[in-house]
Amino acid sequence: MATAAATSASEPEAESKAGPKADGEEDEVKAARTRRKVLSRAVAAATYKTVGPGWDQQEEGVSESDGDEYAMASSAESSPGEYEWEYDEEEEKNQLEIERLEEQLSINVYDYNCHVDLIRLLRLEGELTKVRMARQKMSEIFPLTEELWLEWLHDEISMAQDGLDREHVYDLFEKAVKDYICPNIWLEYGQYSVGGIGQKGGLEKVRSVFERALSSVGLHMTKGLALWEAYREFESAIVEAARLEKVHSLFRRQLAIPLYDMEATFAEYEEWSEDPVPESVIQNYNKALQQLEKYKPYEEALLQAEAPRLSEYQAYIDFEMKIGDPARIQLIFERALVENCLVPDLWIRYSQYLDRQLKVKDLVLSVHNRAVRNCPWTVALWSRYLLAMERHGVDHQVISVTFEKALNAGFIQATDYVEIWQAYLDYLRRRVDFKQDSSKELEELRAAFTRALEYLKQEVEERFNESGDPSCVIMQNWARIEARLCNNMQKARELWDSIMTRGNAKYANMWLEYYNLERAHGDTQHCRKALHRAVQCTSDYPEHVCEVLLTMERTEGSLEDWDTAVQKTETRLARVNEQRMKAAEKEAALVQQEEEKAEQRKRARAEKKALKKKKKTRGPEKRGADEDDEKEWGDDEEEQPSKRRRVENSIPEAGETQNVEVAAGPAGKCATVDVEPPSKQKEKAASLKRDMPKVLHDSSKDSITVFVSNLPYSMQEPDVKLRPLFEACGEVVQIRPIFSNRGDFRGYCYVEFKEEKSALQALEMDRKSVEGRPMFVSPCVDKSKNPDFKVFRYSTSLEKHKLFISGLPFSCTKEELEEICKAHGTVKDLRLVTNRAGKPKGLAYVEYENESQASQAVMKMDGMTIKENVIKVAISNPPQRKVPEKPETRKAPGGPMLLPQTYGAVLCDAVWKAVQLVR
C-alpha cells in the first residue's frame, strides 16, 4: 500500500523533470502549495465523508496538472444553493471548535483528548501546516498510538513529492517505531522504503529497515510472519547473483523461530529450494515447533480474551521471565504495553528488569522516557528515570531539564512533589565533593534546597491546602547534610528552629532527633538547651524527653544542672498528669452521659410499647379515631411499614365468621367496625403465631446462600417477584422471605442457589433498585460465630482513577451526571449514593479508565455549577473507618480508667534504649 503511494507520488516528479521548466521558482512553489492543499482536502473529504456524495472523490483522480480544475469542479458540484450554506455553517462551527481546543491546550497542554480532537478537526478542514504542527506538539508530549501514527504517515506519504519529502517521511517512521513496538508500522516502513530503491543507497536502506524490523518484532508469534514474508518477497524480486543465498538465509532464520503457521513456511521452503533441506535446518525447525507448543496456551489466552488483557499478559510475562530469554522478555513487555500503556506498575516492572538485567544505556533510557510520557502523573516513574540517567552518566543539564518536566507533570497528591524533590536533591548531593570547603555543586545543592521549600510552601500548598511534608523531611535532610558533611552546625540549628516552629515542637521524636544531631556534631550546652525546650513543649510523650534530660545530667552535668533538671521535669510531669486526669474525668463523664441516654431511650421504647398495648384494649370508636390521627400525621412514612395496619393480612378465610365489617366512606375512613373481644383477639394471634411457619436456616449452606435485605415491606409475594431477578445468576433452589408474627413481610430474605458460583455472581446485584429501593445483597454469615464480620462492597483506600463528587442537587440523575463526566474521559462506572430508601444524598463516585483522565476531570469539574449547586470534586480517598474501642481497653476490671501516662511510662525504657543505640 505504501509502495504504491510512493510510486504514484514519484511519477509527477519524473514528469516535471522531463517537461519544460517553469517561469520562475516562485510560481513553482505556489503551484506545489496549491496541489498540497487540494490533495489534503481530497484526503479529508474521502476519509470522513462529512460533506456529502458530491465530495466523495477518488484521490487518484487528481493529477498534478489539473489541481485547480479539480478544486473548482468539486466546489461547483458541492454548492447547489442550500447545501453550500449548510457546508459553510459546518465549516464555521469547526473553526470555532478549533479555536476553543487551541485555547484549552494553551491552558493545559497535557489534555490528551484535546490533542486528538484538534488533529481530527484540522485534518478535516485540510489545514496541512496546522495539522502537522498539532501532531508534532502532541508527539513531543505523548507517545502516539498505532492508529494515530499510521494516519499521520499515510497523509505525509500521499503528499511526498521529492527526495526531501521522502527523508521527512523516513524521519517520521523513525519516531513512530520508537513509541511502541508495532508490527504494522514496521511493515509500512519496509514497504515504503522499497519505493525509494532507485535512489542512492536505496537497496541498503531497504535491507537495513527490514533487518531492524525483524530484530524488533520478528519474534512476534502471531504478527511476525508478515514481516518475514515481505522481506523474502523483496529479496526474491531483486535480480542479482547473491539473491538465492540471501533468500535461503531468510528461510533458515525464520524456521528456527517459533511462529504461527510454521508448517506452511517449511513446505514453501521445500518447494522453492532446488536442493534438499539441510539436516541442521530440519533440527532447528523441529525444536521451534516444540517451543511453539509451549507458547500456544498463552497466545490462545490472548486471542480469546478482550483488550486490554492485562492479566493474560502478566501470566505470559511470568512465563518468559522463568525461561530467561532477554529478547523474548523485552518483546512480551512491549506487546503488553501497547494495550496497557497507562498502567504504571507494568512500566515499573519493565524498567526494573532493564535496570537490573540488560543495563543497555540507550534501551534503558528509552523505556524510562516512554514510561513518563505515558504515565506522567506517576511520581515513581520520574524518580526511577532520574536514577537511571544518573546511573548511565547523562549530562547534568539534561537531568535538570527532566526534573523540571516532572514538576510540570501534574501529580495528584502533595506527597508526590515531596518525593520527586527528594530524588533530585539526593542526586545533587551525590555530585558534591564535600572535601572542598566550597564548590559550585554545593552552592547549587543549597539553592535547590531553598527552592524546594519555597515550591512546597507556595505551589503545592496553594493547590492541595497542604505542603505534603508536615514532618519537614526535606529540611531535616538539609540539616543533617550541613551538620555531618559541611560541619556547619549553625545552619543546621537554624533549620531545626524552622522545623520546630512549623508545628513539630509538640512531638518528642522530633526533639530527640535534634538532640541526637547535637550529640553527634554539636556540644553539651546546645544539647542541654534543646532538652530543656523539649520538656516545656512536648505534649505527646513528655516522659521520654524528661528521662533523656535526667540521664544526660546524671552522666555529664553538675549538681546545679541536676537540680534544675529535676525541678523542671517534676513541675512539667505534675502539670501533664493533672491535665490527663482532667481529660480522663471528662471522658468518663461523656461515657456516663452516653449510658444515661441509652437508658433513657430504652425506657422510652418500653413506655411506647406499653402504650401500644393499652391502645389495643380501647373501644372501637376511640381506636378508630386514633388510627385516623396516626394516618394523618404519618401516611408518608413508607420507611416504617410495621406501624401501618395491613387489611390484607386480616382478611378471614372462606367459611369463617367475618366479625369485622368495613364500610368506606367518601374520604376512605372506616364507618362501622365490629371488633372481637380482646380475649378472642389474643387467642387468634396466638393461633396465627403457631400456624406461622418458622424459617429455618441451614448454616452448612452459607456458601450457596445470599442474604437479601432493605426490600420494600409492601412487596407482595416476595419469593415470586425476586425469583426472576436471581435466576439470571443461576438456578435458584429456594427463596425464604421472613415474615412477622402477623404475617407482614419484614423486608429481607434468604436466596439459596444450587451452585456456589451463582451465589458469588448474585453478590454483584448489591444496590440494585427494586421497587424504588436499593436492594442489599451480602454473603450469608452466622453473626453468632463471626460477630466482627462486616461487608463493605467498595474500596476504602485511595483510588487515583476514581472521583468523589459532593454537593450535587438531589434532582440530578445518573444519566445527566454521566453526560457531564464523559467530556473529560471514558467513564467506566458511575454510582449515585442513596440512603436505604433509595433517596439521593447529593454524592457520587465516578470511575474513569485511568488516573490521567481522573486528574483532568478534577481540575475541570471542581467548582462547577450544576442546577445552581456548586459541586466539589476530588480523588476518591475515603477516611479510615473508626473502629469502636472495646470497653475492656477503657477500664481496668473492677478498677478506675487507665490514664494515658501509664502507656508513656511503659514505653520510656524502650525508647531510651533506642536513643542510646543511636548515640
Side-chain angles (χ1 to χ4, degrees):
M1 178 172 61
T3 307
T7 305
S8 62
S10 62
E11 288 175 1
E13 182 183 358
E15 288 182 15
S16 63
K17 288 182 180 179
K21 294 184 178 179
D23 293 336
E25 292 184 5
E26 186 176 349
D27 295 336
E28 203 171 306
V29 171
K30 287 182 179 179
R33 287 177 179 171
T34 304
R35 286 195 300 271
R36 291 188 188 185
K37 189 171 183 180
V38 171
L39 285 172
S40 65
R41 288 189 178 275
V43 170
T47 304
Y48 292 95
K49 298 180 182 178
T50 57
V51 179
W55 278 70
D56 190 12
Q57 305 291 338
Q58 295 298 323
E59 190 176 333
E60 55 269 22
V62 183
S63 65
E64 181 182 358
S65 60
D66 61 358
D68 295 335
E69 288 82 349
Y70 171 78
M72 293 172 63
S74 59
S75 176
E77 284 182 20
S78 60
S79 58
E82 183 181 354
Y83 181 74
E84 181 181 2
W85 178 81
E86 290 178 358
Y87 175 69
D88 291 341
E89 188 181 51
E90 184 69 22
E91 188 173 11
E92 184 180 354
K93 182 180 178 182
N94 289 342
Q95 288 296 334
L96 291 174
E97 181 65 13
I98 288 171
E99 292 175 5
R100 187 192 71 79
L101 292 171
E102 289 175 342
E103 183 181 357
Q104 182 67 27
L105 288 174
S106 67
I107 299 172
N108 180 19
V109 75
Y110 287 96
D111 193 329
Y112 185 91
N113 293 328
C114 257
H115 282 284
V116 175
D117 293 340
L118 179 61
I119 291 170
R120 178 182 59 81
L121 285 174
L122 290 174
R123 188 171 185 263
L124 181 62
E125 291 297 310
E127 299 285 352
L128 180 61
T129 305
K130 287 187 177 181
V131 78
R132 275 178 174 168
M133 291 176 61
R135 283 166 167 164
Q136 185 65 32
K137 286 181 180 178
M138 184 178 182
S139 66
E140 290 172 359
I141 301 170
F142 299 104
L144 304 187
T145 63
E146 180 180 348
E147 293 77 13
L148 289 173
W149 270 120
L150 288 175
E151 182 183 78
W152 188 359
L153 290 165
H154 290 164
D155 288 350
E156 294 293 343
I157 288 171
S158 65
M159 297 294 103
Q161 297 289 326
D162 50 26
L164 292 177
D165 288 342
R166 179 170 285 276
E167 289 300 323
H168 172 65
V169 175
Y170 282 151
D171 291 340
L172 282 181
F173 270 114
E174 289 297 329
K175 291 180 180 178
V177 297
K178 289 178 181 176
D179 275 355
Y180 301 107
I181 289 185
C182 299
N184 292 335
I185 293 180
W186 275 112
L187 187 60
E188 288 284 337
Y189 194 5
Q191 291 176 344
Y192 182 71
S193 64
V194 171
I197 194 172
Q199 297 181 348
K200 184 180 179 180
L203 179 60
E204 290 75 13
K205 174 70 175 178
V206 175
R207 284 177 171 166
S208 171
V209 170
F210 273 115
E211 287 293 340
R212 289 170 57 204
L214 293 180
S215 299
S216 179
V217 292
L219 296 176
H220 199 299
M221 297 188 66
T222 56
K223 296 183 179 180
L225 179 64
L227 279 165
W228 286 100
E229 290 180 345
Y231 194 8
R232 284 204 321 271
E233 289 174 5
F234 166 72
E235 291 291 350
S236 300
I238 299 175
V239 181
E240 60 179 43
R243 71 179 181 86
L244 292 178
E245 185 56 37
K246 187 71 175 178
V247 176
H248 272 293
S249 174
L250 286 173
F251 266 119
R252 292 167 184 171
R253 287 166 60 189
Q254 180 181 350
L255 291 172
I257 298 172
L259 297 172
Y260 270 48
D261 206 16
M262 290 185 63
E263 297 83 355
T265 305
F266 185 78
E268 183 182 352
Y269 184 34
E270 285 184 317
E271 183 180 351
W272 180 85
S273 177
E274 298 176 355
D275 301 324
V277 179
E279 186 64 29
S280 59
V281 176
I282 295 175
Q283 289 179 358
N284 291 334
Y285 167 68
N286 291 328
K287 185 178 179 181
L289 279 177
Q290 294 175 0
Q291 292 178 337
L292 180 63
E293 292 302 318
K294 295 179 181 179
Y295 287 112
K296 268 187 176 179
Y298 298 97
E299 291 290 345
E300 289 172 357
L302 289 174
L303 291 172
Q304 294 171 4
E306 296 182 359
R309 304 178 284 195
L310 180 59
S311 59
E312 288 78 13
Y313 275 120
Q314 292 281 18
Y316 205 160
I317 290 170
D318 294 338
F319 173 72
E320 291 286 15
M321 295 282 272
K322 289 178 182 178
I323 296 176
D325 184 350
R328 298 198 67 90
I329 291 174
Q330 184 184 352
L331 177 64
I332 191 58
F333 267 117
E334 293 289 351
R335 288 176 62 185
L337 287 168
V338 170
E339 297 183 19
N340 299 276
C341 59
L342 300 178
V343 180
D345 291 341
L346 191 59
W347 283 108
I348 289 173
R349 188 179 180 187
Y350 185 23
S351 60
Q352 188 177 59
Y353 168 76
L354 296 177
D355 285 334
R356 296 178 179 178
Q357 302 296 328
L358 295 188
K359 302 180 182 179
V360 179
K361 177 180 177 180
D362 293 339
L363 177 60
V364 169
L365 295 182
S366 171
V367 170
H368 278 289
N369 181 40
R370 290 161 55 207
V372 297
R373 290 174 66 204
N374 276 279
C375 305
W377 63 87
T378 307
V379 68
L381 293 175
W382 287 101
S383 301
R384 290 170 178 272
Y385 191 14
L386 294 177
L387 287 171
M389 295 174 81
E390 181 185 2
R391 198 176 291 124
H392 291 282
V394 176
D395 184 69
H396 170 62
Q397 188 63 30
V398 177
I399 296 179
S400 298
V401 170
T402 304
F403 168 70
E404 295 298 333
K405 289 181 180 178
L407 287 181
N408 296 320
F411 298 131
I412 303 175
Q413 300 180 96
T415 52
D416 292 344
Y417 288 95
V418 178
E419 185 176 341
I420 195 63
W421 270 111
Q422 281 185 303
Y424 184 58
L425 292 168
D426 291 345
Y427 156 71
L428 293 179
R429 194 265 305 165
R430 289 189 284 267
R431 294 181 68 240
V432 179
D433 182 7
F434 289 100
K435 294 178 181 178
Q436 302 179 13
D437 293 337
S438 180
S439 64
K440 179 183 176 182
E441 289 79 9
L442 179 57
E443 294 305 317
E444 185 178 0
L445 174 62
R446 285 172 171 160
F449 268 115
T450 303
R451 184 189 166 202
L453 298 177
E454 292 176 354
Y455 187 90
L456 294 176
K457 184 177 180 181
Q458 297 175 3
E459 302 289 336
V460 178
E461 196 164 345
E462 181 180 346
R463 179 180 170 190
F464 297 97
N465 295 324
E466 59 167 322
S467 67
D469 190 15
S471 299
C472 302
V473 175
I474 290 179
M475 208 178 295
Q476 287 188 48
N477 291 336
W478 189 5
R480 293 188 192 100
I481 290 172
E482 293 289 353
R484 297 174 183 175
L485 302 177
C486 300
N487 297 318
N488 187 356
M489 275 303 298
Q490 182 61 33
K491 180 64 176 178
R493 291 180 185 122
E494 292 176 3
L495 290 169
W496 269 103
D497 283 341
S498 298
I499 292 171
M500 293 305 182
T501 56
R502 298 191 180 190
N504 293 297
K506 58 185 177 182
Y507 300 116
N509 65 318
M510 300 296 286
W511 284 108
L512 293 178
E513 187 70 28
Y514 177 32
Y515 167 75
N516 290 332
L517 193 67
E518 284 286 0
R519 291 290 292 178
H521 307 285
D523 52 50
T524 305
Q525 180 182 356
H526 283 92
C527 288
R528 182 175 290 111
K529 183 179 178 181
L531 290 177
H532 278 285
R533 290 174 62 192
V535 168
Q536 296 301 321
C537 300
T538 302
S539 60
D540 55 350
Y541 300 116
E543 300 89 351
H544 298 174
V545 292
C546 290
E547 187 67 26
V548 173
L549 174 60
L550 293 174
T551 303
M552 188 191 77
E553 299 298 2
R554 181 177 285 113
T555 56
E556 301 179 27
S558 62
L559 177 60
E560 183 180 355
D561 295 330
W562 171 260
D563 289 341
T564 303
V566 170
Q567 182 180 355
K568 286 192 173 183
T569 53
E570 287 180 350
T571 303
R572 176 61 178 160
L573 291 179
R575 190 183 309 122
V576 168
N577 287 335
E578 182 180 353
Q579 293 172 351
R580 288 175 175 171
M581 285 293 295
K582 289 181 179 179
E585 291 173 0
K586 187 176 180 180
E587 185 177 359
L590 289 174
V591 171
Q592 187 175 356
Q593 288 178 7
E594 288 297 326
E595 292 177 351
E596 289 175 356
K597 288 180 180 179
E599 187 64 29
Q600 289 176 1
R601 288 193 293 268
K602 188 176 179 181
R603 284 198 300 269
R605 284 196 297 268
E607 291 173 359
K608 191 174 182 181
K609 193 173 181 180
L611 185 62
K612 283 185 179 180
K613 288 184 178 180
K614 196 176 290 184
K615 283 182 180 180
K616 289 180 180 179
T617 61
R618 293 182 183 179
E621 293 83 3
K622 183 68 177 176
R623 179 178 162 192
D626 289 346
E627 285 183 0
D628 289 348
D629 292 340
E630 185 175 351
K631 184 172 182 180
E632 188 174 322
W633 283 96
D635 55 359
D636 60 338
E637 294 187 10
E638 298 179 3
E639 299 286 315
Q640 301 175 6
S642 59
K643 294 182 180 180
R644 298 181 309 206
R645 304 293 182 183
R646 294 174 57 99
V647 178
E648 60 269 24
N649 289 330
S650 58
I651 296 177
E653 297 181 3
E656 292 184 4
T657 304
Q658 187 169 348
N659 295 317
V660 180
E661 296 181 1
V662 180
K669 304 288 179 74
C670 296
T672 58
V673 181
D674 295 334
V675 184
E676 294 176 345
S679 57
K680 288 190 176 182
Q681 285 185 2
K682 289 182 180 180
E683 291 176 5
K684 189 172 182 179
S687 64
L688 182 62
K689 185 174 182 180
R690 287 194 301 270
D691 297 339
M692 200 66 194
K694 291 187 177 181
V695 178
L696 299 176
H697 175 63
D698 186 357
S699 59
S700 64
K701 296 182 179 180
D702 282 352
S703 60
I704 57 173
T705 306
V706 295
F707 178 69
V708 183
S709 59
N710 202 47
L711 295 167
Y713 293 96
S714 59
M715 180 180 285
Q716 300 292 329
E717 298 182 340
D719 52 339
V720 176
K721 289 192 176 181
L722 293 176
R723 184 172 290 274
L725 267 177
F726 287 98
E727 281 182 342
C729 304
E731 184 179 346
V732 176
V733 176
Q734 186 183 18
I735 296 180
R736 301 189 295 276
I738 309 301
F739 294 93
S740 67
N741 292 337
R742 295 188 294 115
D744 299 339
F745 179 49
R746 299 184 63 180
Y748 59 91
C749 65
Y750 295 92
V751 181
E752 181 184 332
F753 292 91
K754 187 175 182 181
E755 297 179 349
E756 184 175 351
K757 65 178 183 180
S758 302
L760 295 175
Q761 187 177 348
L763 295 176
E764 298 178 5
M765 298 177 66
D766 186 37
R767 301 305 199 280
K768 183 179 178 66
S769 179
V770 175
E771 294 187 8
R773 292 172 65 92
M775 173 179 68
F776 299 161
V777 184
S778 56
C780 192
V781 176
D782 189 351
K783 289 292 186 70
S784 62
K785 298 179 181 177
N786 300 277
D788 297 329
F789 177 81
K790 289 187 181 297
V791 177
F792 191 67
R793 178 183 177 187
Y794 303 103
S795 173
T796 57
S797 60
L798 174 67
E799 294 178 283
K800 296 183 180 180
H801 65 290
K802 186 180 290 186
L803 304 184
F804 172 68
I805 304 177
S806 59
L808 289 167
F810 293 153
S811 60
C812 181
T813 64
K814 181 178 180 180
E815 291 74 19
E816 291 173 343
L817 183 59
E818 186 173 6
E819 192 66 29
I820 295 172
C821 297
K822 279 197 304 186
H824 311 298
T826 305
V827 177
K828 293 182 66 178
D829 186 35
L830 190 149
R831 176 169 63 93
L832 289 176
V833 182
T834 62
N835 60 16
R836 296 180 68 89
K839 307 295 182 183
K841 299 175 71 174
L843 310 174
Y845 288 91
V846 183
E847 182 180 353
Y848 279 96
E849 196 172 45
N850 53 61
E851 299 174 15
S852 177
Q853 294 179 359
S855 178
Q856 297 294 333
V858 169
M859 291 188 287
K860 294 178 182 178
M861 293 176 60
D862 189 31
M864 178 186 289
T865 302
I866 299 179
K867 296 183 180 180
E868 300 182 356
N869 282 36
V870 178
I871 64 171
K872 292 183 179 180
V873 184
I875 297 297
S876 176
N877 188 16
Q880 293 294 323
R881 294 193 161 197
K882 294 183 179 179
V883 179
E885 190 177 2
K886 295 182 179 179
E888 55 266 23
T889 62
R890 295 191 173 204
K891 295 184 180 181
M897 298 184 66
L898 295 177
L899 297 179
Q901 66 260 33
T902 308
Y903 174 68
V906 172
L907 287 181
C908 184
D909 290 339
V911 174
W912 170 239
K913 289 177 182 178
V915 172
Q916 291 295 98
L917 288 174
V918 173
R919 290 175 56 193

